[in-house]
């Protein structure tokens, strides 16, 4: 789908309704053809009892065999048209629904993965539900529209046929059907609210489940499994209650509509029987009326049930629009960094207060933060994922202010590898080369040595081709850290920010990694590296170390100088 089409989705005062209208317009050709064919199918269905009644009153009553043969041939042709109109119409509509489901999934995924980010309170699990389940439900509007048109065609055809047989019978259907639909339509807003609440509650439970599974190891380490399980039970109970309310409302609606539709059909059959006894209609016409009365139950039931399907599509469209309308986290800057120089002047963000720091191109800077919240705040702000309006003071990358940076150019210049890195399902090599501009040349051997990821490959018979599961849960914590570090080093980013990259590895490996980072990043190159850590091995290879406490830089120097002259530094590092 074109970007213009994406922009059209994101307009209007009722974005959910606008999205559904755009979905219909996007598949208008397939929808028109499919609707025409399934409506033709309903017309043929309506003509079946009419044709049977005409055959009974005509050639069967008169005993005209040749005419009977012709009539039966016409009835067979009617069934052929009926069958193939449904077959080809349904095929076009199903293809349109699947195409729109795919388009909506791609559109939402593109929005979620936009380099500028998306400002939303939805968790990862909720975003996943929106991009999958809600996209499919919203596309079901392409079923609601043709089903409504076909059902109306069927009811209108039956009413016309009944009018030709007996005017009171036709009027009963023509007047009764709108009355039923108007009465049932009053319940549609309630259904929409219940469906929306149910989808939101289920998405919250799914999002919480995703978060709990992701953080299962830390939860076990803290002994927090009971509290986490309690939170999920509460969220699951809320989702169950919302689902029961929505299902109860839909059940009452469907049962009531089915009962009323059946009563209308019974009324039509009863009036027809009375007319036959009075001699107003013939036996063939009576059979036609009874057949139509039985037939009309299905389209009436369809018309009664479609508001529930439409409510589900509308609720999902509203949730899709919530993501598509979410403002970006970062502005659409145009600046491109000239080099890897980082300058912080009076920087304030979360626990950071008035930090002044300059990191020169080619420098390997170590940062020791006495408080974990200071380390996390600094890592987050250097990642470029923080909206400029949340940052006080000034942060420039290569001479360009953070808010003026083009997000894509910023990603190419600054790579911030978080402390908790995610790996994806695939091979070990695929995870490492994922960030490389040109992975065709393979993984540089020096990257495997520097990160000690080569040891991870050597412990498995398949080496770099070994399969790992989603989030790398088949690897130990230290192995995941080494693979993530290899991925970061393989990117060759001008500026690399590492946050505690070696907390899960042994001391010998940590020393080798520290020396490897210095060798790969700073042997004759202009790469800038910022390592936020308390590791003495990493701090020892740094060109300069700054100490952060209470949100400010309180000391600076080499590792050896600080260890000799700064007691709090020595206590924090040389433990």
């Amino acid at each position: 789908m074109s970007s213009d089409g994406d922009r059209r989705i994101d307009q209007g005062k009722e974005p959910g309704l606008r999205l559904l209208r755009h979905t219909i317009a996007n598949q208008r050709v397939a929808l028109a053809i499919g609707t025409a064919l399934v409506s033709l199918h309903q017309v043929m269905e309506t003509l079946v009892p009419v044709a049977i009644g005409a055959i009974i009153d005509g050639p069967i009553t008169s005993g005209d065999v040749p005419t009977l043969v012709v009539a039966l041939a016409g009835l067979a042709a009617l069934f052929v048209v009926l069958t193939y109109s449904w077959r080809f119409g349904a095929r076009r509509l199903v293809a349109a629904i699947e195409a729109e489901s795919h388009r909506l999934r791609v559109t939402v995924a593109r929005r979620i993965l936009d380099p500028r980010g998306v400002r939303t309170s939805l968790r990862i699990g909720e975003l996943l539900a929106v991009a999958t389940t809600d996209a499919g439900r919203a596309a079901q509007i392409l079923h609601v529209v043709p089903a409504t048109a076909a059902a109306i065609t069927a009811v209108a055809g039956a009413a016309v046929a009944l009018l030709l047989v007996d005017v009171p019978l036709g009027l009963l259907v023509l007047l009764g059907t709108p009355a039923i639909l108007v009465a049932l339509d009053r319940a549609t807003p309630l259904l929409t609210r219940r469906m929306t609440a149910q989808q939101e509650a289920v998405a919250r439970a799914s999002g919480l489940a995703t978060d709990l599974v992701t953080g299962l190891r830390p939860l076990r380490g803290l002994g927090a499994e009971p509290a986490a399980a309690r939170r999920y039970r509460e969220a699951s109970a809320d989702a169950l209650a919302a689902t029961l309310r929505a299902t109860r409302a839909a059940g009452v609606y469907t049962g009531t509509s089915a009962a009323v539709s059946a009563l209308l059909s019974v009324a039509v059959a009863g009036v027809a029987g009375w007319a036959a006894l009075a001699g107003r209609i013939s036996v063939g016409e009576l059979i036609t009326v009874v057949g139509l009365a039985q037939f009309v139950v299905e389209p009436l039931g369809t018309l009664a049930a479609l508001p529930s399907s439409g409510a589900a599509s509308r609720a999902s469209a509203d949730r899709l629009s919530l993501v598509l309308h979410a403002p970006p986290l970062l502005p659409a800057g145009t600046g491109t960094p000239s080099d890897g120089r980082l300058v912080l002047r009076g920087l304030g963000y979360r626990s950071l207060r008035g930090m002044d720091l300059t990191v020169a191109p080619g420098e390997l800077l170590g940062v020791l933060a006495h408080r974990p919240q200071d380390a996390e705040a600094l890592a987050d702000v250097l990642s470029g994922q923080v909206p400029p309006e949340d940052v006080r003071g000034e942060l420039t990358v290569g001479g360009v202010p953070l808010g003026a940076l083009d997000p894509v150019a910023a990603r190419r210049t600054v790579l911030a590898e978080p402390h908790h890195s995610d790996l994806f399902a695939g091979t070990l090599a695929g995870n490492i080369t994922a960030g490389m501009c040109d992975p065709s040349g393979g993984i540089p051997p020096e990257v495997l040595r520097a990160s000690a990821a080569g040891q991870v490959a050597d412990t498995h018979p398949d080496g770099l081709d070994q399969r790992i599961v989603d989030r790398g849960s088949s690897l130990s914590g230290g192995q995941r850290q080494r693979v993530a570090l290899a991925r970061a080093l393989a990117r060759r980013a001008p500026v690399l920010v590492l946050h505690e990259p070696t907390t899960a590895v042994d001391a010998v490996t940590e020393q080798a990694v520290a020396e490897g980072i210095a060798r790969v990043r700073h042997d004759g190159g202009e790469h800038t590296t910022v390592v936020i850590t308390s590791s003495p091995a990493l701090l020892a290879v740094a060109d300069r170390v700054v100490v952060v406490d209470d949100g400010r830089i309180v000391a600076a120097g080499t590792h050896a100088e600080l260890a000799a002259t700064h007691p709090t530094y020595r206590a924090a590092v040389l433990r």
Side-chain angles (χ1 to χ4, degrees):
M1 177 187 165
S2 67
S3 58
D4 290 340
D6 292 344
R7 284 194 294 271
R8 285 197 298 271
I9 287 179
D10 295 339
Q11 297 173 358
K13 295 181 179 180
E14 296 182 310
L17 188 58
R18 292 275 301 183
L19 187 146
L20 293 181
R21 288 173 178 170
H22 179 79
T23 297
I24 293 171
N26 198 54
Q27 294 291 334
R28 56 187 177 274
V29 175
L31 190 63
I33 295 174
T35 301
L37 289 173
V38 295
S39 297
L40 176 61
H41 167 265
Q42 292 289 11
V43 171
M44 297 297 104
E45 287 267 27
T46 306
L47 291 178
V48 169
V50 175
I52 293 173
I55 290 173
I56 291 173
D57 281 346
I60 291 180
T61 301
S62 63
D64 188 348
V65 176
T67 304
L68 178 61
V69 171
V70 173
L72 291 176
L75 186 61
L78 189 151
F79 273 101
V80 169
V81 175
L82 181 152
T83 301
Y84 279 93
S85 60
W86 170 258
R87 175 181 175 183
F88 291 110
R91 178 183 295 179
R92 292 299 295 264
L93 292 174
V94 170
I97 291 171
E98 293 302 319
E100 277 305 290
S101 296
H102 172 72
R103 184 188 67 84
L104 289 172
R105 285 194 296 270
V106 170
T107 301
V108 176
R110 183 186 298 125
R111 182 67 189 91
I112 294 172
L113 298 175
D114 190 301
R116 296 168 61 193
V118 56
R119 191 188 299 273
T120 176
S121 60
L122 299 179
R123 292 191 292 263
I124 294 175
E126 293 177 284
L127 290 173
L128 179 62
V130 170
T132 54
T133 303
D134 285 318
R137 284 178 179 161
Q140 286 297 316
I141 193 67
L142 297 176
H143 163 73
V144 173
V145 171
T148 301
I152 291 175
T153 299
V155 172
V160 170
L162 290 172
L163 278 172
L164 295 176
V165 173
D166 187 71
V167 173
L169 290 173
L171 291 176
L172 182 60
V173 175
L174 284 176
L175 299 178
T177 299
I180 292 173
L181 295 179
V182 169
L184 293 175
D185 184 63
R186 294 182 177 273
T188 301
L190 174 62
L191 285 174
T192 302
R193 290 194 300 271
R194 293 284 176 89
M195 289 290 182
T196 301
Q198 183 257 344
Q199 292 173 14
E200 290 176 350
V202 170
R204 282 195 297 271
S206 299
L208 181 58
T210 301
D211 293 342
L212 293 180
V213 171
T214 303
L216 185 58
R217 289 174 183 264
L219 288 172
R220 285 175 176 169
L222 295 171
E225 302 102 310
R230 183 173 62 255
R231 283 186 60 198
Y232 180 72
R233 281 196 300 271
E234 292 172 354
S236 181
D238 291 341
L240 175 61
T243 300
L244 291 176
R245 286 193 296 269
T247 304
R248 190 180 300 114
V252 171
Y253 181 90
T254 303
T256 302
S257 62
V260 173
S261 300
L263 288 175
L264 178 61
S265 300
V266 169
V268 171
V271 173
W274 176 80
L277 290 175
R280 292 210 322 267
I281 60 176
S282 65
V283 175
E285 290 172 331
L286 175 61
I287 292 174
T288 296
V289 171
V290 172
L292 289 173
Q294 292 178 333
F295 162 71
V296 83
V297 171
E298 180 182 351
L300 284 175
T302 299
L303 287 174
L306 285 174
S308 177
S309 300
S313 293
R314 174 63 187 275
S316 289
D318 287 339
R319 285 173 54 78
L320 285 166
S321 298
L322 182 66
V323 176
L324 294 174
H325 287 170
L329 280 173
L330 305 177
T334 58
T336 302
S338 59
D339 55 32
R341 180 181 298 274
L342 295 174
V343 178
L344 288 67
R345 291 194 181 94
L347 184 75
Y349 174 66
R350 293 208 304 247
S351 63
L352 302 181
R353 300 188 299 168
M355 179 177 286
D356 293 309
L357 176 65
T358 299
V359 187
E363 183 178 9
L364 172 54
L365 177 72
V367 178
L368 171 68
H370 287 302
R371 301 191 309 171
Q373 58 266 40
D374 291 341
E376 293 174 1
L378 181 59
D380 287 345
V381 78
L382 291 179
S383 72
Q385 301 295 313
V386 179
E389 63 269 19
D390 294 346
V391 179
R392 302 177 300 279
E394 183 180 1
L395 168 60
T396 63
V397 181
V400 182
L402 176 68
L405 281 174
D406 172 61
V408 176
R411 300 292 187 279
R412 287 196 297 263
T413 303
V414 181
L415 172 61
E417 186 67 26
H419 177 51
H420 297 289
S421 297
D422 281 333
L423 304 181
F424 55 85
T427 65
L428 184 64
N431 273 274
I432 297 175
T433 59
M436 295 176 60
C437 297
D438 182 15
S440 60
I443 305 170
E446 61 271 20
V447 167
L448 294 176
R449 288 194 298 270
S451 63
Q455 298 175 9
V456 180
D458 293 340
T459 59
H460 195 279
D462 294 332
L464 290 171
D465 293 327
Q466 65 174 287
R467 305 293 301 182
I468 60 176
V469 301
D470 191 30
R471 298 185 183 276
S473 56
S474 57
L475 302 177
S476 69
Q479 289 175 325
R480 286 199 301 274
Q481 278 194 331
R482 283 178 273 181
V483 174
L485 178 58
R487 180 175 59 190
L489 294 176
R491 268 280 302 274
R492 307 285 190 186
V495 179
L496 177 62
V497 180
L498 299 173
H499 183 200
E500 294 290 8
T502 58
T503 53
V505 301
D506 59 85
V508 174
T509 303
E510 186 175 46
Q511 182 64 43
V513 167
E515 294 172 356
I517 292 174
R519 182 174 59 254
V520 169
R521 295 281 301 172
H522 298 277
D523 274 359
E526 288 296 316
H527 292 131
T528 302
T529 307
V530 178
V531 184
I532 305 170
T533 183
S534 60
S535 163
L538 289 168
L539 294 171
V541 300
D543 301 321
R544 180 167 57 112
V545 177
V546 297
V547 181
V548 179
D549 193 16
D550 196 26
R552 292 187 176 90
I553 295 177
V554 296
T558 65
H559 170 68
E561 292 170 350
L562 291 171
T565 62
H566 204 282
T568 57
Y569 178 86
R570 184 167 55 249
V573 175
L574 302 180
R575 54 189 182 279

